[in-house]
Amino acid sequence: MVDLDLGPLWLTLQLASATVIVLLLVGTPIAWWLAFTSSRLRTIVEAIVALPIVLPPTVLGFYLLIAFGPHGLIGGPWKDLTGSALSFTFTGLVLASTFYSLPFVVQPLHGAFEAVGKKPLEAAWTLGASKLDTFFTVASPMAIRGYLTAIVLGFAHTLGEFGVVLMVGGNIPGHTKVLSIAIYDHVETLEYAQAHMLSAGLLLFSFIVLLAVYSANRRLPLHVT
Amino acid sequence: MVDLDLGPLWLTLQLASATVIVLLLVGTPIAWWLAFTSSRLRTIVEAIVALPIVLPPTVLGFYLLIAFGPHGLIGGPWKDLTGSALSFTFTGLVLASTFYSLPFVVQPLHGAFEAVGKKPLEAAWTLGASKLDTFFTVASPMAIRGYLTAIVLGFAHTLGEFGVVLMVGGNIPGHTKVLSIAIYDHVETLEYAQAHMLSAGLLLFSFIVLLAVYSANRRLPLHVT
Amino acid sequence: MSQLAANFEVTFPTFHLKVSLAVPAEGIIAVFGPSGCGKSTLLRCLAGLERSSSGSMVLNSHIWQDESHGIFVPLSQRSIGYVFQEPRLFPHLNVRANLHYGWKRTSESTRHITLEQVIHVLDIERLLDRLPQSLSGGEQQRVAIGRALLTSPQLLLMDEPLSSLDLQRKREILPFIRRLDSEFHIPIIYVSHDLHEIIELAKTVVLLKEGTVVGSGPIEEVFSQLDLRHLIPENHLGALVDTTVAEQDQKFGLTKLAFSGGHLHVPHQPRQIGERLRVQILAKDVSIISSQPSFQTSVLNLLEATVIEIGKINIEHPFVEIKLDIGCPLLATITRKSLTALQLHPGQRVHAQIKAVALNPETHH
Amino acid sequence: MSQLAANFEVTFPTFHLKVSLAVPAEGIIAVFGPSGCGKSTLLRCLAGLERSSSGSMVLNSHIWQDESHGIFVPLSQRSIGYVFQEPRLFPHLNVRANLHYGWKRTSESTRHITLEQVIHVLDIERLLDRLPQSLSGGEQQRVAIGRALLTSPQLLLMDEPLSSLDLQRKREILPFIRRLDSEFHIPIIYVSHDLHEIIELAKTVVLLKEGTVVGSGPIEEVFSQLDLRHLIPENHLGALVDTTVAEQDQKFGLTKLAFSGGHLHVPHQPRQIGERLRVQILAKDVSIISSQPSFQTSVLNLLEATVIEIGKINIEHPFVEIKLDIGCPLLATITRKSLTALQLHPGQRVHAQIKAVALNPETHH
Amino acid sequence: AEARAAVASNFLATFRMLTSDFANKTPHQIVIISGSSGKLYAQIQHGAPFDLFFSADQHRPELLEKEGQAIKGSRFPYALGRLTLWSPKPNFIPVDGKTALTREDITHLAIANPKTAPYGRAAEQTLRSLGLWDQLTPRLVYGENIAQTFQFVSSHNAELGFVARSQVAGSHNQESGSHWDVPPTLHDPIVQEAVLLHQGGTNTAARAFLEYITSPSAQAIIHQQGYGIPDPEKTP
Ligand SMILES: Nc1ncnc2c1ncn2[C@@H]1O[C@H](COP(=O)(O)OP(=O)(O)OP(=O)(O)O)[C@@H](O)[C@H]1O
Ligand SMILES: Nc1ncnc2c1ncn2[C@@H]1O[C@H](COP(=O)(O)OP(=O)(O)OP(=O)(O)O)[C@@H](O)[C@H]1O
Ligand SMILES: [Mg+2]
Ligand SMILES: [Mg+2]
């Protein structure tokens, strides 16, 4: 019998969920700004947002490790503020994943907001909706496909992410040892049976979730006409 | 003086370009079908397309390695057809990268095609444009932002991709040793100076390319109104 | 004679269209009916955008659709121009490129309508380099008309094409649309809510109601069918009279038209003597006078008439319609009070008084 | 008296709008002008969707914009209803939710207009559960009107709201729009190309041309201003006469109106005796008769008149406008032939003959 | 001729020196393919075109030999890994490593993953031998390989860690700080074995390189980079 530790699975789900939430919170305003600004900074910000993914995850992880360290650009102030370190913590993982997956969220949202355009927003304003209200009741439901793409890509990428997490997390069981590392370890140590099982489980689980998400979306009104 | 081998850079650019081209060729019809079909299979295909990214790249690479092998599901028939193996070749890398980056291309295109909708297509048809003509002259220019996202995500992800490439490609200098692996090797062997230089170069190069792409796009007509 | 024959059946969750059409494929065929009656859906069927398992559509000798024989010609090969209810311009192309889009895809030999003509008539010269998003509603509509025209189609479908244009523009564009058939033999299916437009343009009307055709045929017949009156607003009720140009009165700027019952004076028309003209005389513009007046009046057209029929008298309605014979049928709307004062009865000899300015002459051939 | 005062200046690459408005904020204020003259842009400015550095906009005591003092009230706090030129329904919400959208965001105390009213008047009951994409053009337009009305705004902006509706629908909706001011004190800025609509509705008109106001004020003044005539199609030229209801003639379904020069008979109006009514008499519906006729005619309204002024005689134009005095000004359009026959000259006593059915009575207060 | 050698990443830097020295001395060239031993093993299993395999452990070459992917009898140890406890801070580690490991101000101690990396297993054994394993587990962070473990420490995210001596002593790195070389008695030897793969059986460069690797000049380089030289007696 193969022996499976399900701890990494829950941790992974937690990480992916937390990351997606943070990604949406961070990505939405950036995407919104990109879609509607006429600032000259736009192209620069657009380019910067897409940059993290050009680096190999482990290498990005290496730089994040330095930045998250006690003397790092981010880790230093963070320690001063919170009293605790960023590296090797769940929070650090979430931050790193967010950083790495940001383009997968910002880009689809940017496209979706552009497709919504100003007209429906103007209509909502004249109907007494504030800008925030309009965002939640008009812009985001109309950009639902963009959100769907963002969430799926963000979540799935965090599930499969590996290099960054490995580097920044320190692979501490129960804290930062996520599923992808567990599967990786099995492959590395030639425990193929366990690797196959975990992979199959992950795929099946993801497939069911995706299927549920997509068929829910299909039943939503917003579709091609 | 640090000593840099630029071979992996060219190889990487070739790989990324080839992959993006294959991705667009493969992703466009899938995205189109997803956007306009009313088939019940839609949600299933949607879910399947998103699946590869939930697996850790190395693990996916592991499975692809098996599939691409001379007795594998794909490698076997491939060998019968072409006489050469798939694994540890440039072609194999392109195939593997395509497989892995497919959702980054299909999803934004799917969203963009949905946003275009049927109306402009109908207008083009009545103006004497065939379906293919309509696709090239109406649908794809209107979906330009989707394509931009797809190309940027696909290209950047292939640049930074690593696990799959390392596994399927075998890191053979001049054949399958791409930049991300080269940087990784430098980091692994503690040659930080070289790693920093290559990373900085990659980032700078990517930044310039992205900036050029985005500002070109900005000058295109299709924008929020 | 060229003919348009079509059968369609389309079912939406709350709407069912079942149409069987056979009209001469000449001139302007107006489709008229209340909002939601299926006009746009009919046009979509004709264009092949809405496909039903039992549809058929034949224009002259072209079989574009015949589902019973498995025939369905793809849209791009149909040579049908379509002006949609909303402009549907291509947002990524400027006005010039929008206009060129269909034009480029039309073989040179069939390009009857030129870019210059269209740009001139629609007055879109100064818009050519603009993007559609920056155009006003009416500007977009004009470009959409131009784009469809430039394919020089064999059949033109227009869904309320002039709805957001001012009268002045309409006056500039309408004659051009009217000429499409006479000059280029392009029959037009024309959806409009504007009866002025329809009367001015249409040779044939198709009246739609809740997805079915309740009347179709030559406009003069359809518009005087009693049971269809409820579909035609009162103040558009009137007779159509076929005339020929008899005399040009340069001095007073009038044209004298001859018809089976005498003469009519209308504002000057730039026509040749002997040319045929169809005029409409609205019932509300006709007054009835009991006997030949002995005094001078500014009313030029005073014709002898016989009362043929007195319309239904409705206690809730102050007006009555009178059908007169002046050598051809003429309708008059008078108040019930006048009816009593004049003591009208069928067969009575009266005079019909028509204000020249109320005439609305139109070419149809 | 309530007042709307606004100043805007907007510059587009090929268009410049510079408008200074001061009109009574009462009833329906029609904005009229050719396609592309800036009507929609003006509405956008009024709504605060287009903002210029020097704009100002004051409705009654509400200062909604005064850039010189840095005041710009956000749209959502302005209580302005806007019916856009295109429907702009929310595609993700069904009709009911679209209607509710603004209604929910209106405080209960200011909800004068009820859902039931709107659904009834616009006849959209059976559309409530549908999604906008599946509605016909006219259906969408009606829902868009309803959605804006349900915010019970302090000012309603309507950009060609009825353009894709049939006459029957218009007739059902227009009276409701007219009542908005009298019942709920909602002034309306109303863009339309349809002069019938404007004449039927408007108390005030603003004439726009190439981004500037070329005329504004009470409709009767603007429409009889000589230098603005080229903007008003001939067959809409006419006098507006203020009257009071004098008598109801149940038998013939007529209402007798008294005015400074005598009486007019119009189709039955459901009004109280003594109520005020403004009617329009189009110049083309007035004939001139040289002396009191001795015979019976179906023309009820025959009034003594004095010729005041004879309009410009244009050799290319068969008609002449005559200004008469019947106790108030009256315009008549006659042919030059008639002018000669009648030998009209200022000061001459004549009779003006008006067809009752041509009257177009309207409430304005 | 040219041969392709698959090399465990931890030995890569040393291996580069060996191949360039080899290239100077012979007409042959060695193309280096680096990666984790597990990955390289999987690739070889699935037909990777490699001639030589320099693993970080004994286990995988042995398996390859058994599975018939490698030439029987060609397997031999080429280096012994040396474990070092290292901190970038000077004087953090006194002469006796155990006192350093019991310091109160350690929040993280980095070791390589004992499951996947031989250095990790050695580090675990060392801690167990010192009787500190249970006490220190909560503070452990795991690098996926020895390079990552080194990065944890060098970036000050972990105060100290068990790294390879080659990383501290190697000519590439003049890292300051303090270290304690773990006595080999505290853990099983980290034997790194190489094997000639089937494909390389006829490759003259591969065979020549295997000969070169046991030559004194090669062993000098290996030693100089911080590795132990395996006792030829123990070669199976
Ligand atoms: N965003 C814009 N950029 C550039 N030009 C614009 C823009 N919006 C409007 N215009 C131009 O300004 C002019 C006025 O436009 P507007 O939409 O106000 O016209 P309108 O009077 O409403 O016309 P219509 O009756 O056709 O709707 C037009 O010539 C139009 O092309
Ligand atoms: N895609 C659809 N799904 C469901 N119902 C539809 C769809 N399209 C149209 N309908 C319904 O079919 C009926 C006819 O629509 P159509 O657009 O043909 O009307 P129309 O005569 O063009 O009206 P209008 O003058 O308002 O444009 C309407 O009641 C409409 O709601
Ligand atoms: Mg329609
Ligand atoms: Mg407009």
Side-chain angles (χ1 to χ4, degrees):
Chain A
M1 258 307 292
V2 290
D3 130 74
L4 286 177
D5 178 11
L6 287 183
L9 176 64
W10 302 128
L11 194 64
T12 302
L13 291 183
Q14 278 175 39
L15 174 65
S17 312
T19 303
V20 165
I21 290 167
V22 176
L23 276 172
L24 292 181
L25 291 179
V26 176
T28 295
I30 297 178
W32 187 267
W33 182 83
L34 287 174
F36 294 107
T37 188
S38 51
S39 160
R40 308 185 121 256
L41 284 176
R42 199 189 77 162
T43 46
I44 295 174
V45 173
E46 243 181 323
I48 288 175
V49 168
L51 269 192
I53 46 169
V54 309
L55 282 184
T58 332
V59 176
L60 180 69
F62 172 62
Y63 290 118
L64 285 178
L65 189 67
I66 294 174
F68 283 8
H71 312 302
L73 259 175
I74 304 167
W78 180 273
K79 184 145 201 173
D80 294 346
L81 273 173
T82 65
S84 59
L86 255 186
S87 43
F88 311 131
T89 62
F90 185 77
T91 315
L93 275 198
V94 172
L95 253 185
S97 299
T98 301
F99 191 64
Y100 186 47
S101 296
L102 199 57
F104 300 123
V105 168
V106 170
Q107 298 239 4
L109 290 185
H110 178 179
F113 289 148
E114 269 196 14
V116 169
K118 272 227 174 121
K119 292 187 173 185
L121 311 185
E122 290 181 350
W125 298 339
T126 66
L127 292 167
S130 69
K131 303 232 164 176
L132 206 67
D133 187 356
T134 302
F135 172 78
F136 283 112
T137 55
V138 175
S140 55
M142 283 183 70
I144 187 77
R145 169 142 288 284
Y147 271 100
L148 198 68
T149 298
I151 291 171
V152 166
L153 291 184
F155 195 90
H157 196 246
T158 308
L159 281 191
E161 191 180 64
F162 175 76
V164 174
V165 165
L166 200 63
M167 202 74 169
V168 175
N171 197 4
I172 304 168
H175 289 274
T176 58
K177 178 168 185 165
V178 295
L179 195 59
S180 52
I181 302 181
I183 301 180
Y184 174 76
D185 282 357
H186 286 306
V187 172
E188 283 287 294
T189 51
L190 318 183
E191 296 163 357
Y192 294 146
Q194 282 95 328
H196 294 339
M197 275 196 62
L198 277 183
S199 298
L202 184 60
L203 283 178
L204 195 72
F205 167 79
S206 307
F207 184 72
I208 291 168
V209 170
L210 286 171
L211 212 60
V213 168
Y214 285 127
S215 54
N217 173 57
R218 207 186 187 181
R219 261 177 258 116
L220 288 180
L222 202 63
H223 278 304
V224 180
T225 48
Chain B
M1 258 307 295
V2 290
D3 131 71
L4 285 178
D5 178 9
L6 287 182
L9 177 63
W10 302 129
L11 194 65
T12 302
L13 290 183
Q14 279 174 39
L15 175 66
S17 312
T19 304
V20 166
I21 290 169
V22 176
L23 276 172
L24 292 182
L25 290 180
V26 175
T28 297
I30 298 177
W32 186 267
W33 183 82
L34 288 175
F36 294 108
T37 187
S38 53
S39 159
R40 306 185 124 256
L41 285 175
R42 200 189 77 165
T43 45
I44 294 174
V45 173
E46 246 181 321
I48 288 175
V49 168
L51 269 191
I53 46 171
V54 307
L55 282 184
T58 331
V59 176
L60 180 68
F62 174 66
Y63 289 119
L64 286 179
L65 187 67
I66 296 174
F68 283 8
H71 311 301
L73 259 176
I74 304 168
W78 181 273
K79 187 146 199 177
D80 295 344
L81 274 174
T82 66
S84 59
L86 255 186
S87 41
F88 314 116
T89 63
F90 185 77
T91 316
L93 275 196
V94 171
L95 256 184
S97 299
T98 302
F99 191 64
Y100 187 47
S101 295
L102 200 57
F104 300 124
V105 169
V106 170
Q107 299 239 2
L109 290 185
H110 178 179
F113 290 146
E114 270 196 12
V116 169
K118 273 230 174 118
K119 291 185 175 187
L121 311 185
E122 290 181 349
W125 299 338
T126 66
L127 292 167
S130 68
K131 304 232 162 174
L132 205 67
D133 186 358
T134 301
F135 171 77
F136 283 112
T137 55
V138 176
S140 54
M142 284 183 70
I144 188 77
R145 169 142 287 286
Y147 271 100
L148 198 69
T149 299
I151 290 171
V152 165
L153 292 184
F155 195 89
H157 195 247
T158 307
L159 282 191
E161 191 182 63
F162 175 75
V164 174
V165 166
L166 195 64
M167 203 68 174
V168 175
N171 194 7
I172 303 169
H175 290 273
T176 57
K177 180 170 186 162
V178 296
L179 195 59
S180 51
I181 302 181
I183 302 179
Y184 173 75
D185 277 357
H186 287 304
V187 172
E188 288 287 289
T189 52
L190 316 183
E191 296 162 353
Y192 294 149
Q194 283 96 325
H196 293 337
M197 275 196 60
L198 279 183
S199 297
L202 183 60
L203 284 178
L204 195 72
F205 167 79
S206 307
F207 184 72
I208 291 170
V209 170
L210 287 172
L211 213 59
V213 168
Y214 285 127
S215 54
N217 173 58
R218 205 184 189 182
R219 261 176 259 115
L220 287 181
L222 202 62
H223 279 305
V224 181
T225 47
Chain C
M1 201 184 73
S2 53
Q3 175 88 4
L4 171 67
N7 280 284
F8 302 114
E9 195 164 352
V10 174
T11 306
F12 291 133
T14 59
F15 178 77
H16 185 72
L17 178 91
K18 192 173 158 66
V19 161
S20 183
L21 263 190
V23 290
E26 278 179 358
I28 291 164
I29 301 149
V31 177
F32 185 70
S35 170
C37 71
K39 303 181 295 297
S40 301
T41 308
L42 174 59
L43 256 55
R44 289 177 59 80
C45 288
L46 286 166
L49 289 170
E50 211 75 59
R51 190 173 172 181
S52 61
S53 55
S54 59
S56 72
M57 149 88 174
V58 182
L59 178 72
N60 305 336
S61 52
H62 300 283
I63 301 174
W64 277 339
Q65 185 179 9
D66 182 356
E67 301 289 349
S68 61
H69 293 86
I71 299 172
F72 185 84
V73 178
L75 265 72
S76 54
Q77 292 161 33
R78 282 199 186 193
S79 183
I80 288 182
Y82 198 144
V83 181
F84 292 90
Q85 197 165 1
E86 69 280 359
R88 293 205 192 180
L89 298 180
F90 300 129
H92 60 296
L93 300 177
N94 67 14
V95 169
R96 189 191 311 277
N98 265 283
L99 292 174
H100 272 119
Y101 194 90
W103 190 75
K104 278 196 293 194
R105 286 167 177 77
T106 307
S107 70
E108 274 187 55
S109 59
T110 50
R111 282 184 198 152
H112 311 308
I113 302 171
T114 69
L115 216 57
E116 293 69 39
Q117 269 180 309
V118 162
I119 290 172
H120 173 75
V121 170
L122 298 169
D123 188 23
I124 48 182
E125 175 87 51
R126 31 166 225 105
L127 308 178
L128 289 177
D129 294 318
R130 303 257 304 272
L131 283 173
Q133 303 90 298
S134 76
L135 302 183
S136 81
E139 287 165 348
Q140 290 186 30
Q141 211 171 30
R142 280 182 279 153
V143 176
I145 295 172
R147 188 176 66 168
L149 287 177
L150 282 169
T151 60
S152 304
Q154 288 173 32
L155 175 67
L156 186 57
L157 309 174
M158 303 183 95
D159 203 344
E160 301 187 38
L162 307 182
S163 63
S164 51
L165 294 181
D166 49 297
L167 272 169
Q168 190 54 39
R169 293 266 174 221
K170 284 190 188 179
R171 287 208 185 141
E172 285 162 26
I173 298 172
L174 279 177
F176 184 73
I177 291 180
R178 224 180 296 125
R179 271 185 5 239
L180 287 177
D181 186 57
S182 53
E183 284 184 23
F184 308 113
H185 303 288
I186 303 177
I188 301 171
I189 315 252
Y190 192 96
V191 172
S192 176
H193 287 303
D194 188 333
L195 273 158
H196 290 288
E197 245 171 74
I198 290 186
I199 288 163
E200 201 165 335
L201 290 173
K203 184 181 168 65
T204 309
V205 249
V206 175
L207 289 180
L208 269 186
K209 197 180 166 187
E210 290 169 18
T212 43
V213 175
V214 291
S216 88
I219 184 167
E220 55 271 34
E221 278 177 24
V222 173
F223 270 52
S224 57
Q225 249 170 284
L226 256 153
D227 53 342
L228 296 176
R229 287 224 179 122
H230 62 280
L231 290 171
I232 302 163
E234 272 150 30
N235 50 348
H236 288 283
L237 201 63
L240 292 165
V241 181
D242 282 314
T243 71
T244 43
V245 177
E247 210 180 300
Q248 293 288 18
D249 184 343
Q250 297 293 350
K251 195 172 158 216
F252 295 112
L254 291 177
T255 296
K256 190 170 169 187
L257 304 174
F259 75 106
S260 48
H263 293 97
L264 285 171
H265 289 87
V266 297
H268 177 71
Q269 301 294 315
R271 306 280 166 180
Q272 302 299 318
I273 305 290
E275 210 173 310
R276 296 168 62 88
L277 261 186
R278 169 176 293 152
V279 298
Q280 189 192 28
I281 302 168
L282 294 178
K284 70 179 176 92
D285 285 326
V286 178
S287 310
I288 295 176
I289 296 171
S290 57
S291 58
Q292 169 76 34
S294 56
F295 60 95
Q296 287 189 310
T297 146
S298 71
V299 179
L300 272 178
N301 293 309
L302 199 63
L303 297 162
E304 295 198 353
T306 312
V307 175
I308 301 290
E309 190 184 336
I310 294 168
K312 219 161 54 193
I313 296 171
N314 185 335
I315 196 76
E316 288 178 344
H317 206 63
F319 300 107
V320 182
E321 277 140 25
I322 311 288
K323 194 164 185 176
L324 302 169
D325 182 0
I326 52 166
C328 68
L330 184 73
L331 293 178
T333 302
I334 63 173
T335 57
R336 271 165 42 214
K337 184 154 196 166
S338 297
L339 180 67
T340 309
L342 294 167
Q343 291 180 298
L344 293 185
H345 52 88
Q348 188 175 348
R349 303 287 299 169
V350 291
H351 280 84
Q353 174 187 300
I354 304 155
K355 285 204 61 151
V357 286
L359 285 165
N360 192 352
E362 214 36 68
T363 343
H364 277 291
H365 303 283
Chain D
M1 202 186 70
S2 53
Q3 174 90 4
L4 171 69
N7 280 282
F8 301 113
E9 197 166 347
V10 174
T11 306
F12 291 132
T14 58
F15 177 78
H16 185 73
L17 179 91
K18 192 173 157 68
V19 161
S20 185
L21 263 190
V23 289
E26 276 179 359
I28 290 163
I29 300 149
V31 177
F32 185 70
S35 169
C37 71
K39 303 180 295 297
S40 300
T41 308
L42 174 60
L43 256 56
R44 289 178 59 81
C45 288
L46 286 165
L49 289 170
E50 211 75 58
R51 190 172 172 182
S52 60
S53 56
S54 60
S56 71
M57 148 87 176
V58 182
L59 177 72
N60 303 336
S61 52
H62 300 283
I63 301 175
W64 277 339
Q65 185 179 8
D66 182 357
E67 301 289 349
S68 62
H69 293 86
I71 298 172
F72 184 85
V73 178
L75 266 72
S76 54
Q77 292 160 33
R78 280 197 186 195
S79 185
I80 287 183
Y82 198 146
V83 181
F84 292 89
Q85 199 167 358
E86 68 281 357
R88 293 204 192 182
L89 299 178
F90 299 130
H92 58 296
L93 300 178
N94 66 14
V95 169
R96 189 191 313 276
N98 265 283
L99 292 173
H100 272 118
Y101 193 90
W103 188 75
K104 277 195 295 194
R105 286 165 178 78
T106 308
S107 71
E108 272 186 58
S109 59
T110 50
R111 281 183 199 156
H112 310 308
I113 302 172
T114 68
L115 217 56
E116 292 69 37
Q117 268 180 309
V118 162
I119 290 172
H120 173 74
V121 169
L122 298 168
D123 187 22
I124 47 181
E125 174 87 50
R126 30 167 226 106
L127 307 178
L128 289 177
D129 294 317
R130 303 260 300 271
L131 283 172
Q133 303 93 296
S134 76
L135 301 184
S136 81
E139 286 165 349
Q140 290 187 31
Q141 211 173 30
R142 282 181 277 153
V143 176
I145 295 171
R147 189 177 65 169
L149 287 176
L150 283 169
T151 61
S152 304
Q154 286 173 35
L155 174 66
L156 185 57
L157 308 174
M158 303 183 96
D159 202 344
E160 302 186 38
L162 306 183
S163 63
S164 50
L165 293 182
D166 50 296
L167 273 167
Q168 190 53 37
R169 294 267 174 221
K170 284 191 186 177
R171 288 217 181 129
E172 284 162 28
I173 298 171
L174 279 177
F176 183 73
I177 291 179
R178 222 181 297 126
R179 270 185 5 239
L180 287 176
D181 188 55
S182 52
E183 284 185 22
F184 308 115
H185 303 287
I186 303 176
I188 301 171
I189 315 251
Y190 192 95
V191 171
S192 176
H193 288 302
D194 189 334
L195 272 158
H196 291 289
E197 244 171 75
I198 292 187
I199 288 163
E200 200 165 337
L201 291 173
K203 184 181 168 70
T204 309
V205 249
V206 176
L207 288 180
L208 268 186
K209 198 182 166 186
E210 289 168 17
T212 44
V213 175
V214 290
S216 89
I219 184 164
E220 56 271 34
E221 278 178 25
V222 172
F223 271 53
S224 58
Q225 249 170 286
L226 256 154
D227 54 342
L228 295 176
R229 287 227 178 123
H230 63 280
L231 290 172
I232 299 162
E234 271 150 30
N235 49 347
H236 288 283
L237 201 65
L240 292 164
V241 180
D242 283 314
T243 69
T244 42
V245 177
E247 208 181 303
Q248 293 288 17
D249 183 344
Q250 296 293 348
K251 195 171 156 217
F252 294 112
L254 290 178
T255 298
K256 191 170 170 185
L257 305 173
F259 76 105
S260 46
H263 292 98
L264 285 171
H265 289 87
V266 297
H268 177 71
Q269 302 293 317
R271 306 279 167 182
Q272 301 300 318
I273 304 290
E275 209 173 313
R276 295 167 62 87
L277 260 187
R278 169 174 292 151
V279 299
Q280 190 192 29
I281 302 170
L282 294 178
K284 71 178 176 93
D285 286 325
V286 178
S287 310
I288 296 176
I289 296 174
S290 56
S291 59
Q292 169 75 34
S294 56
F295 60 94
Q296 287 189 308
T297 147
S298 69
V299 180
L300 273 177
N301 294 310
L302 199 61
L303 297 162
E304 295 198 355
T306 311
V307 176
I308 302 288
E309 191 184 334
I310 294 169
K312 221 164 52 193
I313 295 172
N314 185 334
I315 195 74
E316 287 178 345
H317 205 63
F319 300 106
V320 182
E321 276 142 25
I322 312 289
K323 198 164 185 176
L324 302 169
D325 182 358
I326 50 168
C328 68
L330 185 73
L331 292 178
T333 301
I334 63 171
T335 59
R336 273 165 42 216
K337 185 153 196 168
S338 297
L339 179 67
T340 311
L342 294 167
Q343 290 179 298
L344 292 185
H345 53 87
Q348 186 176 348
R349 305 284 299 167
V350 292
H351 280 84
Q353 174 188 299
I354 303 156
K355 284 204 60 150
V357 286
L359 285 166
N360 192 353
E362 214 37 67
T363 344
H364 277 291
H365 303 283
Chain E
E2 192 182 89
R4 284 176 178 163
V7 182
S9 297
N10 75 311
F11 195 64
L12 180 60
T14 310
F15 199 76
R16 284 213 193 107
M17 292 180 196
L18 291 170
T19 53
S20 65
D21 185 45
F22 175 67
N24 289 337
K25 290 180 173 152
T26 68
H28 304 300
Q29 295 284 334
I30 300 295
V31 175
I32 306 172
I33 290 104
S34 65
S36 75
S37 302
K39 220 172 283 165
L40 293 171
Y41 167 79
Q43 290 173 333
I44 292 163
Q45 258 194 324
H46 292 95
F50 305 153
D51 302 310
L52 296 162
F53 177 38
F54 284 76
S55 181
D57 64 354
Q58 282 175 298
H59 181 52
R60 290 184 179 85
E62 204 181 322
L63 275 178
L64 285 174
E65 210 178 39
K66 264 192 213 150
E67 289 162 0
Q69 305 276 353
I71 291 171
K72 285 238 165 2
S74 65
R75 186 162 62 93
F76 73 103
Y78 62 90
L80 289 176
R82 289 267 183 261
L83 196 61
T84 293
L85 182 65
W86 175 66
S87 167
K89 295 181 192 159
N91 309 322
F92 193 84
I93 302 172
V95 188
D96 174 19
K98 193 172 175 178
T99 46
L101 287 168
T102 48
R103 284 178 70 132
E104 282 301 308
D105 56 351
I106 296 176
T107 46
H108 293 300
L109 169 64
I111 69 170
N113 188 342
K115 273 189 77 184
T116 57
Y119 284 95
R121 192 154 36 88
E124 178 179 341
Q125 287 167 347
T126 304
L127 288 175
R128 286 195 192 276
S129 306
L130 294 172
L132 295 171
W133 175 254
D134 292 329
Q135 177 188 337
L136 284 173
T137 347
R139 303 191 194 168
L140 291 180
V141 292
Y142 303 90
E144 197 46 47
N145 50 42
I146 199 65
Q148 222 175 69
T149 311
F150 182 82
Q151 285 147 16
F152 286 166
V153 184
S154 69
S155 61
H156 299 269
N157 282 290
E159 286 80 3
L160 73 180
F162 285 103
V163 302
R165 201 165 93 207
S166 56
Q167 293 171 315
V168 183
S171 61
H172 267 295
N173 313 288
Q174 284 85 39
E175 291 283 349
S176 54
S178 47
H179 64 95
W180 169 60
D181 290 338
V182 178
T185 50
L186 289 179
H187 58 84
D188 292 344
I190 307 168
V191 182
Q192 305 200 180
E193 287 196 342
V195 73
L196 181 63
L197 298 173
H198 250 297
Q199 179 175 336
T202 53
N203 190 312
T204 49
R207 294 220 177 250
F209 188 69
L210 286 184
E211 240 159 67
Y212 162 78
I213 234 29
T214 49
S215 71
S217 61
Q219 301 218 330
I221 294 176
I222 295 173
H223 182 73
Q224 181 213 335
Q225 289 301 312
Y227 290 94
I229 304 301
D231 184 354
E233 302 293 287
K234 281 189 181 167
T235 312

